[in-house]
Amino acid sequence: MLTDIWTVFWRDWIVLKRRLSRYILSRMISPMLYLVAFGWGLGRSIQTGQGSYLDFIVPGIVALNSMTISFNAVGTPLNMSRVYHKTLEEYLIAPISAAAFVLGKIFSGMLRGLISSAVLIIMAYAFGAKFSLNAWFMAILLLNCGIFAALAVVAAMSLDSHEDMGNFNTYVLLPMSFLCATFFTPKQLPELARWLIEILPLTHASQALRSSAAGAGVAPVSLAVMALYFIAFVAVGIWQVKRVRD
Amino acid sequence: MITIHGLVKQFADRTAIDHLDLRIDKGETFGLLGPNGAGKTTTIRILTMLTKATAGQINIAGFDLPADEQQIKAIIGVVPQFFNLDSDLTARENLDLHGRLHHIPSDERNRRITELLQYVELSDREHDRVNTFSGGMKRRLMIARALLHRPQVLFLDEPTVGLDPQVRRRLWDLIRRLNEEGLTVLLTTHYIEEAESLCKRVAILDKGRLIALNSPAALCQGLGEFVVEWSDGEATNSRFFSDRAAAAQFAATLTATTTIRLSNLEDVFVELTGRKVVG
Ligand SMILES: Nc1ncnc2c1ncn2[C@@H]1O[C@H](COP(=O)(O)OP(=O)(O)O)[C@@H](O)[C@H]1O
Ligand SMILES: [Mg+2]
C-alpha cells in the first residue's frame, strides 16, 4: 500500500522535477499580483482591527492560493488522463488499490500546493508582512492542500470533459477564493450569506491560518470542519475510482 | 487458460456482447475477428477488468473474475487499442512506472527494462519522451510494457492498426516469438491476413455474437476450399466448392470472366457476416 502510494506520487514528482524552476517562477506571478493590488494598493487605505491589512490578507491569500494550486495540480491532469489520454487505465489494470492511487494523487497535489505556498510566504515576508509560521499554521496549510487535492480527484472522476473542469473552477473555486474570509471577515455580512460562507471549508482554512499566524492557535470547530471535508472527499474519491469501470 | 461462459455486456439499450462462450488453451494464439463494433474491444476490456460484465462467468488461469481481481491483474499483460502511454514520461520512465506498479524490485526492474527495450528495438530512444515516437514505436513500447511483469496471458487489441506493412510484419514476428516462448496470446483484429498468419484458432464475432470458431484452415474448408468468383456487372459473386474439378465445371457454365482461387478467411468472413472487412 505505501509502496503503491509512493509509485503514484513518484510519477508526478519526476514530471514536476523536470520543470521545477519554471514551475516555481510561474508560481510567483499571482501572489505578486495579489500582494501588490490588495496589500500595497488597496491595503494602505483600509483599517482592520489590529495590524495592517497586508497582515490580515496574507493568510487569506495563502489559503486561496494553496486551494487553487492543489486543486489544479490534480484535477486537470487526472481528468485528462481519464477522459482523453486514457493513461488512467494503466493504473486501473495494475494490481494496486484504489485508495493507494487516490492518496498518491492527493500527496502529489499537496506537494505542489506546499511549494507554491512556500514561494508565496517568502514573497509576503519580502513585502513586509508580519506573521508567525508555527506548527498550527503548517498543519492547517497541509490540511487545506489535502482537502482541495481530494476534491480535485472527486471532480476529475465525475466530470466528463475539460470544459466541465473549467466550469467547476469558475463556479466553485473562484467564488470561494473571494468570499471565504480571504479578503474580509464574513462577520459583516447578512445572516444567510454568512451562514452559507461559514459552512465552506476555505472559510475555516482562512480563519484558522489567520489566527495561527497571529499566534492565537486554531478554533477546534475549524479543525473539525476541515478534517470532515478531507475525510469525505477522500472517501468519495476512492469510491469513484473503484466504480469507474461501468 | 481462459474460459468465458455466457458473457453478456449491455450498454444502456445496446447489447455489445450477447452470450459469448469461449475457451482459450494455454500457449495458444487466439484471434477475435469481427467488423467494427462487433464487440472485440468490449470483450478484451471485460477480460482485463476495465469494464464490468453484465452477466457471465470468466476464469483466467484458474482465477475467477471478479473475485480474484488482484491475482489476475498480476498475470495478464494488456496492449489496448488506443495509445495510452504517458506522454510526459520517457520510454524508460513509462516502463519504470509499470514495473513499480507491478512491484518488481528495482534491480530486476532495471535489468528487465533494458532487456525489453532491446527486444522491441527501442534502446536508442529510451530517454526520449514518447510523444516524439511514431505509431509503430509506441505500439512496440506498449508491448514491452505489457511484457515487463512476465504475464502468462497477453491481450492485444488491434495491435497493428494504422501501421506500415513492414512494421506490421515485424510486430507479427514479435508476437510469434512470444507465443513460441509459451505465452498465451489473445488478439483482436479486423485484418484477415493477420489472423491467418498468427492464430491457431479464430472466433468470428458479429454484433456481439459468436458466429464461427475454428482454425483458419478448417473454417475455409467448411465453406469449400475453392472459390469461383465472377462479376455480373453490378457485384462480385462467388460460389464455394470442395474440389477443383467441380469449381472448374461450374466456371465453364458462366459467360462472364471468372477466377478460381483458394478460399481464405476473408471469404469466410464475408459469407458469415455479409459484410466485407475494410482495413
Ligand atoms: N462505453 C460504451 N458505451 C456505450 N456503447 C459502447 C461503449 N463501448 C462500446 N460500445 C458499443 O459496443 C459495441 C461494441 O464495440 P467494440 O467492442 O468497441 O467493438 P470492436 O472493438 O469490435 O470494434 C459497439 O456498438 C459500440 O458502440
Ligand atoms: Mg475495437
Side-chain angles (χ1 to χ4, degrees):
Chain A
M1 174 80 176
L2 281 178
T3 326
D4 295 338
I5 295 175
W6 164 245
T7 299
V8 175
F9 180 88
W10 170 85
R11 181 277 168 205
D12 288 0
W13 167 239
I14 57 170
V15 172
L16 175 61
K17 203 169 62 179
R18 240 193 310 268
R19 36 190 184 218
L20 195 57
S21 51
R22 259 176 304 160
Y23 181 76
I24 290 176
L25 206 63
S26 72
R27 289 285 70 90
M28 294 170 66
I29 302 304
S30 76
M32 175 105 79
L33 295 175
Y34 280 121
L35 288 169
V36 169
F38 297 116
W40 274 4
L42 205 59
R44 294 241 166 86
S45 51
I46 294 180
Q47 295 301 313
T48 55
Q50 63 285 74
S52 70
Y53 184 59
L54 183 65
D55 295 347
F56 177 83
I57 60 165
V58 163
I61 299 176
V62 169
L64 84 87
N65 179 68
S66 58
M67 162 182 86
T68 315
I69 301 301
S70 299
F71 182 89
N72 286 312
V74 176
T76 307
L78 178 55
N79 187 253
M80 301 273 277
S81 108
R82 180 175 73 88
V83 180
Y84 302 104
H85 304 312
K86 306 288 177 194
T87 41
L88 178 62
E89 293 182 355
E90 168 71 355
Y91 295 93
L92 298 177
I93 286 175
I96 67 166
S97 65
F101 177 77
V102 169
L103 291 175
K105 283 292 167 194
I106 291 175
F107 289 145
S108 118
M110 288 170 73
L111 175 69
R112 289 197 183 218
L114 288 178
I115 290 175
S116 82
S117 298
V119 172
L120 167 57
I121 287 166
I122 291 167
M123 287 175 64
Y125 276 128
F127 270 73
K130 287 184 278 299
F131 56 97
S132 122
L133 273 185
N134 48 48
W136 273 121
F137 187 91
M138 294 310 293
I140 294 295
L141 176 58
L142 264 172
L143 188 53
N144 195 48
C145 291
I147 289 173
F148 289 100
L151 177 62
V153 173
V154 174
M157 294 306 294
S158 39
L159 302 176
D160 284 335
S161 76
H162 189 50
E163 201 187 327
D164 288 343
M165 285 301 286
N167 288 338
F168 191 89
N169 252 305
T170 310
Y171 291 114
V172 180
L173 296 198
L174 190 62
M176 283 217 288
S177 66
F178 281 93
L179 300 177
C180 288
T182 41
F183 298 110
F184 58 88
T185 54
K187 281 195 199 92
Q188 312 137 9
L189 292 176
E191 193 71 21
L192 180 68
R194 205 185 78 194
W195 187 81
L196 271 176
I197 284 173
E198 280 183 351
I199 58 173
L200 296 172
L202 190 66
T203 310
H204 293 276
S206 307
Q207 286 170 342
L209 284 174
R210 191 166 291 132
S211 65
S212 60
V218 165
V221 60
S222 291
L223 199 60
V225 170
M226 291 179 75
L228 271 177
Y229 270 108
F230 179 66
I231 292 166
F233 290 154
V234 171
V236 174
I238 293 173
W239 175 73
Q240 280 175 313
V241 170
K242 278 196 174 140
R243 170 215 79 118
V244 63
R245 301 173 248 142
D246 32 14
Chain B
M1 194 62 167
I2 305 175
T3 326
I4 300 170
H5 185 69
L7 183 65
V8 176
K9 175 67 185 182
Q10 202 102 36
F11 286 112
D13 51 347
R14 187 186 297 125
T15 305
I17 304 174
D18 194 357
H19 293 94
L20 180 66
D21 296 302
L22 274 183
R23 255 192 79 94
I24 295 156
D25 298 328
K26 196 170 165 55
E28 185 173 32
T29 299
F30 190 93
L32 268 183
L33 246 64
N36 275 321
K40 306 182 295 292
T41 297
T42 306
T43 307
I44 298 254
R45 286 177 65 84
I46 290 172
L47 291 173
T48 57
M49 290 155 282
L50 287 171
T51 296
K52 284 210 171 81
T54 310
Q57 284 108 47
I58 293 166
N59 185 289
I60 299 178
F63 297 114
D64 281 322
L65 257 181
D68 308 322
E69 212 176 273
Q70 300 292 5
Q71 286 97 317
I72 295 179
K73 282 178 175 179
I75 58 156
I76 61 170
V78 186
V79 182
Q81 179 170 4
F82 300 104
F83 297 120
N84 72 341
L85 294 162
D86 194 327
S87 55
D88 286 327
L89 302 181
T90 65
R92 183 175 263 277
E93 286 165 349
N94 263 284
L95 297 183
D96 200 356
L97 174 62
H98 184 88
R100 286 167 187 258
L101 287 170
H102 282 267
H103 311 126
I104 307 175
S106 106
D107 283 353
E108 191 195 335
R109 193 168 68 226
N110 289 325
R111 206 169 340 109
R112 183 107 180 109
I113 290 173
T114 307
E115 191 182 295
L116 277 166
L117 282 168
Q118 241 154 36
Y119 191 62
V120 298
E121 298 166 44
L122 285 174
S123 298
D124 53 331
R125 301 292 301 271
E126 64 171 326
H127 296 303
D128 293 350
R129 293 255 302 269
V130 296
N131 55 5
T132 64
F133 282 18
S134 70
M137 292 164 73
K138 284 184 186 162
R139 194 67 71 181
R140 268 158 30 220
L141 185 60
M142 277 165 62
I143 294 179
R145 186 180 65 178
L147 295 173
L148 194 68
H149 56 287
R150 302 183 191 277
Q152 298 173 27
V153 188
L154 183 64
F155 295 96
L156 297 156
D157 196 358
E158 314 246 0
T160 63
V161 123
L163 301 182
D164 304 341
Q166 298 95 311
V167 181
R168 179 183 302 170
R169 278 181 173 69
R170 274 177 62 195
L171 270 181
W172 287 358
D173 291 339
L174 178 61
I175 294 167
R176 249 183 242 117
R177 207 158 53 185
L178 290 169
N179 187 240
E180 280 158 17
E181 288 163 16
L183 195 66
T184 306
V185 180
L186 174 59
L187 66 87
T188 78
T189 181
H190 58 239
Y191 295 123
I192 303 292
E193 330 84 82
E194 187 158 295
E196 257 173 349
S197 95
L198 289 177
C199 302
K200 201 153 91 197
R201 288 192 306 149
V202 297
I204 299 180
L205 284 184
D206 191 29
K207 304 196 188 90
R209 268 193 293 269
L210 180 67
I211 55 172
L213 171 68
N214 217 325
S215 68
L219 285 171
C220 294
Q221 260 160 24
L223 211 58
E225 226 170 321
F226 297 92
V227 205
V228 177
E229 237 174 18
W230 74 97
S231 166
D232 61 6
E234 278 171 23
T236 308
N237 299 302
S238 51
R239 208 142 133 194
F240 298 87
F241 298 91
S242 51
D243 63 286
R244 184 177 276 279
Q249 211 170 20
F250 174 75
T253 67
L254 295 169
T255 51
T257 324
T258 56
T259 338
I260 303 181
R261 57 171 176 79
L262 290 171
S263 65
N264 57 32
L265 207 48
E266 179 156 343
D267 298 316
V268 176
F269 199 90
V270 174
E271 275 297 299
L272 292 176
T273 65
R275 269 177 279 175
K276 185 111 176 151
V277 223
V278 281

